[in-house]
Amino acid sequence: MFKIYLLKLFQFLIIIPAALLCYMPMKNQLWYAPKKIVLKSLAIFLLTAPLLAVVCLYADFNINFIFIPYVMLLFLYYKSTLKADLSRALAVYIFSFSIFSFTSNLSFGFDALLHPENSYNEYGWAPNIFRIVISLLLIFLLAFPLKKYIQYIIDNLQISRIWYLTLPISIMFIILNMVLVPHNYQTMYVGRVFTMYSLLELFLFILYIFLCVIFYFICVEMLSKIKLTERQKFFEMQESQYNELKSHMEDIRRLRHDMRQSVYVLHNLAKTKDFESIDKYLTEYETSLPTTDYRKYCDNNAVDALLNYYAGQEYESGINMNWQIDLHELTSVSETDLCSMIGNLIENAIQGCATISPDERNHSLTIVTKNKSSLYIVSTNTFDGNIKQIGGKYISTKRKSSGIGISSICMTVEKYNGTAKFHHSNNEFYADIMLKIDCEV
């Protein structure tokens, strides 16, 4: 009886390599230190697996009736250890178990080869050990692509519906492998069934990996287009800033040219003491002065153009601005990432202010670098107080999904190992961001 219990317990060990595969592409998405997660995960496994093995020992049903609900419950723990949203966590989790559904079927084939007279209910030590060895070997082969390629799209692609689209594919392969499990090994030796079974499993595995590769290249193409769109937007802002400066310089050149004539006119009017005409002339002259309000916010040209662009939008929206910018050239933060983060932050503030009357619209923005190692961004804007939250996350009031702007900001902050906190009080929304940086002063 004890040997049978150990065998049942050993069948749950597949959870360990599956967990390794789940966490491999999530290096930058962990809430806690890897060591802490490993110790906590082992503790959970050692507390639950022995108890479930006892249930399997005395209950007269297939282990999958216990194993599948157990895996579902473990996902709740897995998600709690990650910063990644539900879509990415679920996609990676289901992908990992779909991969191991192939190793399980391979172990059934191995068992049928050793014991052709048995059935899958007599699954013994040899196929169990074989499954663990093959699973670890597969992890070793997949480690590099998971850490280099899949980790990249997990860290950068935040469109939930794209990740949810992977679930039906992964689940389909899990179901196919469950259907293909040989219930009676003797049927494997009828004609060429064993050969066809092996070839079909190999074909399905290659097809699944091929679909994963296609998915990766589609994601990379999408990310490239998103970055290209952002760059184009920044270039348009810089072009707008350049045109404003050019117009401003032309106005100044014209005024300097007309200055001599104006001085001559005022001099003659002063001689005749025609103060009424002097006042009228100066009033007309004042209205002809250029109204372009360009301001140098920082040394980074792209960020400077961005800030001037949104400053113009806030002015047109009647928002009372209180901006304090002390930003130097950054060497460790991508210009695109920085502009995207600041742009999303200001856009959210403008949208929030748009929900209230113009006389109540306020936006305070502080961007400062400290000790050449930290970038602090603090934004406070007024809004109508209408907030939607699910699980502590702010949800867009215009969409059913979470706000794209806040999600994008969080992704950038995670990328640079920083922190982002969002909260609200009555009719004010606060954003506090800190990034680890290197800057030139």
Side-chain angles (χ1 to χ4, degrees):
M1 181 69 73
F2 184 68
K3 288 184 179 180
I4 298 175
Y5 171 75
L6 289 179
L7 179 61
K8 296 292 184 183
L9 179 60
F10 192 82
Q11 287 182 285
F12 283 94
L13 282 181
I14 193 64
I15 292 293
I16 294 177
L20 290 174
L21 196 63
C22 287
Y23 280 110
M24 269 187 181
M26 294 294 192
K27 179 183 176 182
N28 298 326
Q29 302 296 326
L30 303 178
W31 275 119
Y32 314 106
K35 183 179 179 180
K36 184 177 180 180
I37 292 176
V38 169
L39 293 175
K40 193 173 180 180
S41 300
L42 284 174
I44 292 174
F45 177 78
L46 292 175
L47 286 173
T48 56
L51 294 176
L52 294 175
V54 171
V55 175
C56 291
L57 180 64
Y58 291 100
D60 188 22
F61 48 69
N62 189 284
I63 190 174
N64 284 333
F65 285 100
I66 290 290
F67 190 79
I68 293 175
Y70 180 53
V71 166
M72 291 179 178
L73 289 174
L74 286 178
F75 172 75
L76 299 178
Y77 164 73
Y78 173 68
K79 176 63 184 74
S80 69
T81 63
L82 300 177
K83 300 175 185 177
D85 61 3
L86 178 63
S87 63
R88 286 176 288 163
L90 195 57
V92 173
Y93 195 76
I94 299 298
F95 163 79
S96 299
F97 282 94
S98 63
I99 287 292
F100 283 108
S101 68
F102 286 100
T103 63
S104 293
N105 271 21
L106 189 59
S107 68
F108 282 119
F110 179 74
D111 194 29
L113 189 64
L114 294 179
H115 310 101
E117 72 286 352
N118 288 353
S119 67
Y120 80 108
N121 285 323
E122 300 173 90
Y123 196 71
W125 283 99
N128 268 295
I129 295 172
F130 179 80
R131 180 171 64 166
I132 295 293
V133 172
I134 292 297
S135 298
L136 293 173
L137 178 61
L138 192 58
I139 288 176
F140 176 76
L141 294 174
L142 293 176
F144 177 76
L146 284 174
K147 288 183 177 180
K148 181 169 182 176
Y149 302 111
I150 305 303
Q151 181 178 307
Y152 169 75
I153 60 174
I154 286 173
D155 290 344
N156 291 279
L157 186 65
Q158 57 200 10
I159 305 174
S160 295
R161 63 180 180 274
I162 300 298
W163 291 103
Y164 282 130
L165 285 175
T166 67
L167 300 183
I169 304 296
S170 297
I171 293 172
M172 181 187 71
F173 279 95
I174 291 175
I175 294 173
L176 281 173
N177 279 314
M178 291 177 68
V179 170
L180 289 173
V181 171
H183 288 242
N184 191 332
Y185 294 163
Q186 292 178 5
T187 59
M188 300 286 285
Y189 290 90
V190 176
R192 302 175 62 187
V193 173
F194 201 111
T195 303
M196 295 302 296
Y197 172 82
S198 303
L199 290 176
L200 182 58
E201 282 293 330
L202 179 61
F203 170 76
L204 289 176
F205 182 74
I206 293 173
L207 176 62
Y208 187 45
I209 296 299
F210 177 72
L211 292 175
C212 291
V213 171
I214 291 177
F215 172 73
Y216 167 76
F217 282 111
I218 291 174
C219 291
V220 169
E221 184 65 24
M222 290 179 62
L223 288 171
S224 298
K225 287 184 178 180
I226 291 172
K227 288 183 178 181
L228 184 63
T229 302
E230 288 183 345
R231 284 187 174 275
Q232 184 177 0
K233 185 177 181 180
F234 299 148
F235 287 144
E236 289 174 356
M237 292 178 185
Q238 287 182 315
E239 182 182 9
S240 174
Q241 179 193 15
Y242 170 76
N243 290 332
E244 289 181 5
L245 286 174
K246 184 179 178 182
S247 176
H248 186 61
M249 291 176 66
E250 288 176 352
D251 288 340
I252 292 175
R253 189 183 297 112
R254 177 181 57 81
L255 289 172
R256 289 182 62 185
H257 181 268
D258 295 341
M259 180 66 71
R260 183 177 299 177
Q261 180 67 26
S262 298
V263 171
Y264 176 76
V265 171
L266 290 171
H267 180 71
N268 282 285
L269 289 174
K271 281 184 178 180
T272 59
K273 297 184 178 181
D274 188 355
F275 299 112
E276 183 178 349
S277 295
I278 291 174
D279 182 66
K280 182 180 178 182
Y281 187 86
L282 288 174
T283 301
E284 291 178 355
Y285 185 80
E286 184 180 5
T287 59
S288 69
L289 291 174
T291 57
T292 303
D293 187 19
Y294 169 76
R295 177 178 174 181
K296 182 72 173 179
Y297 284 100
C298 63
D299 297 330
N300 187 297
N301 292 330
V303 177
D304 193 57
L306 181 88
L307 292 172
N308 273 279
Y309 172 80
Y310 281 114
Q313 286 202 354
E314 293 205 1
Y315 176 79
E316 292 175 1
S317 300
I319 299 174
N320 180 32
M321 298 167 53
N322 180 20
W323 287 12
Q324 298 179 13
I325 314 297
D326 182 17
L327 179 65
H328 303 285
E329 284 289 343
L330 306 181
T331 58
S332 60
V333 180
S334 163
E335 191 174 82
T336 302
D337 288 340
L338 184 61
C339 288
S340 175
M341 182 175 61
I342 295 174
N344 279 315
L345 198 63
I346 301 177
E347 278 189 0
N348 284 348
I350 293 174
Q351 290 173 6
C353 289
T355 61
I356 55 178
S357 59
D359 59 325
E360 297 177 332
R361 296 173 182 175
N362 296 299
H363 180 215
S364 298
L365 177 66
T366 301
I367 304 177
V368 296
T369 53
K370 292 186 177 180
N371 303 322
K372 301 183 183 180
S373 60
S374 300
L375 170 64
Y376 293 92
I377 304 175
V378 180
S379 175
T380 304
N381 66 272
T382 51
F383 73 114
D384 62 359
N386 182 21
I387 281 289
K388 291 183 180 180
Q389 287 180 284
I390 295 179
K393 292 184 177 181
Y394 286 95
I395 305 299
S396 172
T397 55
K398 295 183 178 180
R399 310 177 184 89
K400 294 181 179 179
S401 60
S402 60
I404 297 298
I406 290 180
S407 297
S408 177
I409 292 169
C410 290
M411 286 296 298
T412 303
V413 170
E414 290 173 12
K415 182 177 179 180
Y416 294 98
N417 298 318
T419 60
K421 297 180 181 178
F422 303 93
H423 54 104
H424 69 282
S425 174
N426 296 327
N427 66 333
E428 287 190 325
F429 186 85
Y430 308 95
D432 299 313
I433 296 169
M434 188 279 290
L435 294 183
K436 296 293 184 181
I437 53 124
D438 291 323
C439 68
E440 298 177 356
V441 181

